[in-house]
Amino acid sequence: MHILDELVARGVIKTHTDLSTLRAEMDQGPVTFYVGFDPTADSCHVGHLTAVLTMRRLQAAGHQPIVVLGGGTAMVGDPSGKDQTRTMLTQEAIQSNIAAMRTQIGRLLRMAPDNVMVPGDNGAIVIDNGQWLLQLNYIDFLRDIGKHFSVNRMITSESARLRLERNQGLSFIEFNYHLLQSFDYLELYRRYGCTLQVGGDDQWFNILGGVDLIRREEATGVHAFTSPLLTTSDGKKMGKTEKGAVWIDPNKFSAYDYFQYWVNVQDADVVRFLKIYTDLTLAEIDALA
């Protein structure tokens, strides 16, 4: 089964640019792809796992993963899905969070030795987008990149629209986030030949910004797809409990509680979660169902 067909069958592709063109490119050889994570805490949670396990499956199919840990974007804070501005983190806290998340993600992906992309080997590399974002000249960035973005279009994005409708406001620093994430994709395309971005469905507007920026700057098409934001059958956000987020770090969420979280999911969710969160084949899951 083609990897894209498997991902669709497992329920981890919701929105996409053009799967048929992406399939044709994958059939010609390995595709370099990336997923970005802002290090806003010192651990991943099960909400991150959908993306990381999708990376794992794409890597097993021969494609090249890039993990972007947003040391630059975390300084701004993503407004997507948030009712208020995120708490500003110090650079020291962000770097500490990056180290913790990098260790956790490294247990689920096969990592490249010395974090260097090697031809013929698709070991994952980890990049901190602070490498380029923290070095930007603001005026040059506005002239070269900002000219491609329409404020009219940006305020129609769901995250901005909801905040404005609720009269909750949107700070100027948050308004820049869309440009920064879009610029990430352009930089990764230029540095590593990255032509696919994967993320959660709440990131679709930001992801499309990168696709469009590359089209304008490089006159070429690139790809993207998103995974649905998971909720349980009773409408609760996946990975949330009365205690809060279901963290991967056993010091933040005990191994016992983590095990019990999965044991206690409702029967209606079991098959869907087996497809997303396990390495069981689809045939094995069908037999269990």
Side-chain angles (χ1 to χ4, degrees):
M1 178 184 292
H2 194 281
I3 183 58
L4 293 179
D5 293 330
E6 179 178 354
L7 294 177
V8 169
R10 288 185 179 271
V12 295
I13 294 183
K14 179 181 180 182
T15 314
H16 55 83
T17 46
D18 183 353
L19 287 187
S20 59
T21 303
L22 176 58
R23 177 192 301 270
E25 291 188 16
M26 285 181 164
D27 289 344
Q28 292 174 7
V31 165
T32 299
F33 68 96
Y34 95 94
V35 179
F37 305 89
D38 275 354
T40 54
D42 58 356
S43 173
C44 297
H45 52 68
V46 298
H48 293 117
L49 279 183
T50 305
V52 177
L53 294 177
T54 297
M55 296 185 83
R56 178 185 172 101
R57 292 189 171 98
L58 285 165
Q59 183 180 42
H63 302 289
Q64 172 67 58
I66 300 175
V67 179
V68 174
L69 295 176
T73 42
M75 296 285 289
V76 174
D78 182 6
S80 302
K82 300 298 176 185
D83 292 333
Q84 57 188 2
T85 301
R86 290 180 185 267
T87 302
M88 292 289 109
L89 299 174
T90 65
Q91 286 201 39
E92 292 76 17
I94 289 170
Q95 289 305 312
S96 177
N97 293 347
I98 284 176
M101 293 180 69
R102 179 178 184 144
T103 298
Q104 291 176 341
I105 293 172
R107 297 187 186 122
L108 292 166
L109 301 177
R110 185 176 59 80
M111 308 305 290
D114 302 319
N115 202 41
V116 176
M117 196 181 291
V118 179
D121 180 81
N122 68 332
I125 62 171
V126 179
I127 304 296
D128 177 353
N129 65 11
Q131 290 181 20
W132 52 84
L133 293 183
L134 298 180
Q135 308 302 319
L136 286 176
N137 179 294
Y138 189 58
I139 298 300
D140 288 342
F141 181 71
L142 290 178
R143 286 172 58 90
D144 298 338
I145 302 301
K147 66 183 180 183
H148 295 304
F149 292 84
S150 162
V151 171
N152 293 26
R153 185 162 181 265
M154 288 167 67
I155 62 175
T156 64
S157 70
E158 185 175 9
S159 59
R161 179 178 57 80
L162 290 177
R163 292 273 286 274
L164 294 173
E165 285 178 357
R166 295 169 182 165
N167 200 30
Q168 292 168 327
L170 190 70
S171 71
F172 179 72
I173 191 172
E174 290 176 297
F175 207 58
N176 280 268
Y177 191 92
H178 177 62
L179 278 70
L180 298 179
Q181 184 171 332
S182 301
F183 186 65
D184 280 350
Y185 200 173
L186 176 62
E187 278 295 298
L188 292 166
Y189 173 81
R190 288 172 169 171
R191 293 175 182 229
Y192 301 102
C194 180
T195 56
L196 171 63
Q197 183 178 175
V198 178
D201 203 50
D202 60 340
Q203 294 296 310
W204 184 237
F205 180 74
N206 290 335
I207 291 171
L208 277 187
V211 171
D212 187 57
L213 180 60
I214 292 171
R215 179 184 63 81
R216 292 172 181 272
E217 282 284 305
E218 302 293 332
T220 190
V222 292
H223 309 283
F225 69 77
T226 63
S227 299
L229 300 181
L230 295 180
T231 56
T232 57
S233 56
D234 58 359
K236 293 181 180 178
K237 188 175 181 180
M238 176 66 191
K240 292 288 186 180
T241 71
E242 290 75 13
K243 297 180 180 180
V246 180
W247 300 102
I248 305 302
D249 185 345
N251 294 315
K252 295 173 73 71
F253 198 84
S254 75
Y256 174 82
D257 287 338
Y258 187 84
F259 180 80
Q260 289 298 316
Y261 175 80
W262 294 106
V263 168
N264 291 328
V265 299
Q266 298 188 34
D267 290 352
D269 293 321
V270 170
V271 170
R272 185 161 56 109
F273 291 166
L274 285 174
K275 290 179 179 178
I276 295 170
Y277 293 108
T278 77
D279 286 333
L280 293 173
T281 66
L282 293 168
E284 289 172 325
I285 295 170
D286 287 341
L288 291 172

